[in-house]
Amino acid sequence: GIETSQVGGILTKQDLELMRAALKKAWLEDFNSFVEAQGGTTSEVMGHMLKMEADFRVLLVTLNALNTDLSTESKIHERSALYPEFGYLFPEGTRELRKAVNETMVRASLEPYAKYLQLFDQVKQFYEAESEGNSKSIAGFQSIEDL
């Protein structure tokens, strides 16, 4: 068996983040299905909010994966599994972002979506500084979760 003292070493921080992202995706998709089934104003208003949240999840997963092994050819399918299957970016924008392995490809993927491109431009410096491991330079920038 596993000793209590060994539990902390079983899951890495990245494993926990992947689990959290997978749960968030499942929750969003289930809640979206429920909201769509309600119809009417509930579906219209909540559907819009959930689509925006799904798009933010796609952007968040993509940006957090840049400069990690989740942007390598062998692991890109794991990252893709974390993308919700709905939203304003879905399916075309999501399909392009699934292929993105660097900032240039993310920018090209977002060009047809002006407000998301503007959002990316606002936060890209945070993710660049984070990937360089420079915690002091992060302080002046916002992440997508801060907006």
Side-chain angles (χ1 to χ4, degrees):
I2 297 173
E3 298 293 322
T4 307
S5 61
Q6 296 173 314
V7 172
I10 294 172
L11 295 174
T12 65
K13 184 179 178 189
Q14 185 177 11
D15 292 333
L16 294 172
E17 288 299 318
L18 290 173
M19 288 173 46
R20 191 172 75 109
L23 288 171
K24 183 73 172 195
K25 173 196 174 194
W27 177 83
L28 279 171
E29 289 177 342
D30 286 348
F31 193 29
N32 186 60
S33 295
F34 171 78
V35 165
E36 284 181 354
Q38 302 308 302
T41 304
T42 299
S43 177
E44 183 180 328
V45 173
M46 288 300 298
H48 168 70
M49 291 170 57
L50 289 171
K51 285 178 182 177
M52 294 292 292
E53 183 65 26
D55 291 347
F56 286 137
R57 293 300 308 167
V58 169
L59 292 172
L60 183 66
V61 168
T62 303
L63 294 175
N64 282 334
L66 294 179
N67 304 310
T68 70
D69 65 339
L70 287 177
S71 284
T72 61
E73 292 292 325
S74 62
K75 296 256 183 158
I76 209 155
H77 67 281
E78 288 180 35
R79 183 181 83 188
S80 294
L82 302 174
Y83 292 158
E85 299 285 322
F86 72 102
Y88 293 113
L89 289 171
F90 186 80
E92 295 86 11
T94 303
R95 181 175 45 249
E96 293 304 313
L97 285 167
R98 286 178 200 269
K99 302 176 204 171
V101 295
N102 58 44
E103 184 182 309
T104 304
M105 292 176 78
V106 171
R107 187 167 226 307
S109 299
L110 293 175
E111 282 183 357
Y113 307 93
K115 65 182 170 181
Y116 291 130
L117 183 59
Q118 181 182 10
L119 178 67
F120 172 68
D121 287 338
Q122 283 181 276
V123 301
K124 70 180 177 182
Q125 291 174 319
F126 173 88
Y127 293 96
E128 288 171 353
E130 186 179 56
S131 71
E132 294 168 1
N134 191 346
S135 60
K136 289 183 181 180
S137 65
I138 291 174
F141 304 116
Q142 290 184 311
S143 74
I144 197 166
E145 293 173 311
D146 296 330
L147 298 177

